[in-house]
Amino acid sequence: ETGVTQTPRHLVMGMTNKKSLKCEQHLGHNAMYWYKQSAKKPLELMFVYNFKEQTENNSVPSRFSPECPNSSHLFLHLHTLQPEDSALYLCASSQASRDSPYEQYFGPGTRLTVT
Amino acid sequence: AQTVTQSQPEMSVQEAETVTLSCTYDTSESDYYLFWYKQPPSRQMILVIRQEAYKQQNATENRFSVNFQKAAKSFSLKISDSQLGDAAMYFCAYSPPQGAQKLVFGQGTRLTINP
């Protein structure tokens, strides 16, 4: 595997289900990100992890719970979601630096549908 | 808060012609980075080109170039000799310079290439 991978690629879940999205980066980066991409809206940054520590939580509802066990893996745990949470969830990674931002590498995304 | 605006939801161009995608942004910072990302249909988002705000010279990557007007807070992307493979959503993004990137994206422009 190379780059940033995400599983599953598609997920349909009911509002009472609990599921998790997984992201893995094979690039040796130290920062990982979750984004939400909804139709006709800009990408929304949800969470940022820098050296496994969460450095950004962009006012995301508590029904979304991130986990970063190491610098290569990132999870997004989902529970009691709403239909408006249906979207493409993108994971990204980068080599964060104080001096300059590095390119973010994106995964293919998980298409989530909440019924 | 920083904002990024792409005023063209859709653009189309004839193959081999030149097209310019517009982007404006708002920030009170003097040092920052700007990016153009490309998201082909059902494929991963990739970086097209980046520009450091402190650099006067416009960035160029093969057929892709930018027109960076710092005073006007404008950052347009020019694609020369358009190819069918250029068809995609194009996102303009802003980042502050320090630490992990906190990209702020525009709404995107869907580019169609007509053969």
Side-chain angles (χ1 to χ4, degrees):
Chain A
E1 291 280 15
T2 59
V4 181
T5 57
Q6 290 186 243
T7 54
R9 295 292 306 276
H10 300 271
L11 178 63
V12 179
M13 59 185 289
M15 290 190 283
T16 58
N17 291 160
K18 289 185 180 180
K19 296 286 185 183
S20 295
L21 309 185
K22 178 183 176 182
C23 175
E24 185 172 1
Q25 59 98 357
H26 309 267
L27 300 167
H29 291 160
N30 58 15
M32 296 187 76
Y33 315 79
W34 279 117
Y35 289 90
K36 176 183 179 182
Q37 186 176 23
S38 306
K40 299 182 179 179
K41 290 179 69 176
L43 268 77
E44 301 170 60
L45 178 65
M46 301 174 71
F47 301 104
V48 179
Y49 277 83
N50 207 355
F51 294 98
K52 300 186 298 178
E53 291 190 10
Q54 188 180 129
T55 57
E56 186 85 9
N57 176 339
N58 221 15
S59 303
V60 180
S62 59
R63 57 185 183 270
F64 294 91
S65 175
E67 179 189 1
C68 189
N70 54 61
S71 59
S72 298
H73 293 84
L74 184 65
F75 295 89
L76 188 63
H77 303 298
L78 317 171
H79 64 97
T80 59
L81 295 190
Q82 305 298 311
E84 61 264 28
D85 297 323
S86 298
L88 182 67
Y89 288 85
L90 295 172
C91 174
S93 71
S94 73
Q95 187 62 25
S97 161
R98 280 198 186 86
D99 299 320
S100 67
Y102 279 75
E103 172 183 351
Q104 286 192 17
Y105 290 77
F106 285 82
T110 295
R111 173 70 63 186
L112 173 67
T113 302
V114 181
T115 61
Chain B
Q2 294 90 0
T3 58
V4 176
T5 302
Q6 293 177 249
S7 58
Q8 305 154 316
E10 297 182 356
M11 292 279 286
S12 63
V13 64
Q14 289 296 124
E15 194 175 3
E17 296 291 306
T18 296
V19 63
T20 299
L21 308 184
S22 301
C23 174
T24 58
Y25 59 94
D26 188 25
T27 183
S28 58
E29 303 287 339
S30 60
D31 193 16
Y32 47 87
Y33 292 79
L34 297 165
F35 305 86
W36 277 98
Y37 278 86
K38 169 185 177 181
Q39 187 178 37
S42 303
R43 293 181 62 187
Q44 290 171 240
M45 182 132 44
I46 58 173
L47 179 69
V48 175
I49 199 166
R50 60 181 273 175
Q51 173 81 42
E52 291 87 340
Y54 64 86
K55 288 188 177 178
Q56 299 272 5
Q57 189 172 7
N58 289 325
T60 300
E61 288 287 342
N62 300 314
R63 297 182 296 106
F64 298 87
S65 61
V66 299
N67 183 4
F68 173 50
Q69 302 289 327
K70 191 172 184 179
K73 295 180 181 176
S74 170
F75 182 61
S76 60
L77 174 70
K78 185 172 83 171
I79 307 174
S80 303
D81 185 26
S82 299
Q83 300 175 1
L84 295 178
D86 295 332
M89 281 291 289
Y90 286 81
F91 293 95
C92 178
Y94 165 100
S95 170
Q98 293 87 13
Q101 294 186 72
K102 299 177 184 180
L103 289 177
V104 178
F105 284 86
Q107 304 92 320
T109 296
R110 183 175 302 281
L111 178 64
T112 302
I113 312 296
N114 300 313

